Amino acid sequence: MLSFLLHELKPQLGFFLFLDELFQKEFGKTILECSEDEIKTVFDKISYQDNISDELSEAASFFATYRHFVVTGWFTSEVGMKDLGYKGNIP
């Protein structure tokens, strides 16, 4: 079971390891040690794929995929649909 989970989570673990290296490179500390402004600076860099450096392109792609999953999960949940005011197929 553990080997299956590690195999399935390998891309996610790689992304988090990359983020850790990025924070170390940018600020000389881990993400947990960074201020909100420092964290926002890094995520602003990878939030959009327009004009992104080759070094950050894979991280930006991974982040875009996760953002899509989160938004889809939210707006297809009961609370997300209420947030939208969606009432379903009603006349």
Side-chain angles (χ1 to χ4, degrees), residues 25-44:
K25 183 177 164 185
E26 291 274 329
F27 306 110
K29 48 189 171 180
T30 68
I31 189 172
L32 297 175
E33 299 168 324
C34 288
S35 69
E36 280 188 40
D37 287 338
E38 291 169 330
I39 293 169
K40 186 178 181 321
T41 299
V42 170
F43 279 94
D44 283 348

Side-chain angles (χ1 to χ4, degrees), residues 29-91:
K29 48 189 171 180
T30 68
I31 189 172
L32 297 175
E33 299 168 324
C34 288
S35 69
E36 280 188 40
D37 287 338
E38 291 169 330
I39 293 169
K40 186 178 181 321
T41 299
V42 170
F43 279 94
D44 283 348
K45 288 181 181 180
I46 64 170
S47 292
Y48 301 100
Q49 295 178 339
D50 299 335
N51 302 321
I52 194 148
S53 68
D54 289 341
E55 177 189 18
L56 298 177
S57 65
E58 191 172 342
S61 177
F62 193 88
F63 185 77
T65 300
Y66 259 69
R67 180 177 46 220
H68 173 76
F69 288 156
V70 170
V71 169
T72 300
W74 170 258
F75 287 112
T76 57
S77 70
E78 183 179 344
V79 70
M81 286 187 204
K82 284 182 183 175
D83 189 43
L84 284 173
Y86 180 71
K87 299 187 188 314
N89 290 333
I90 58 172

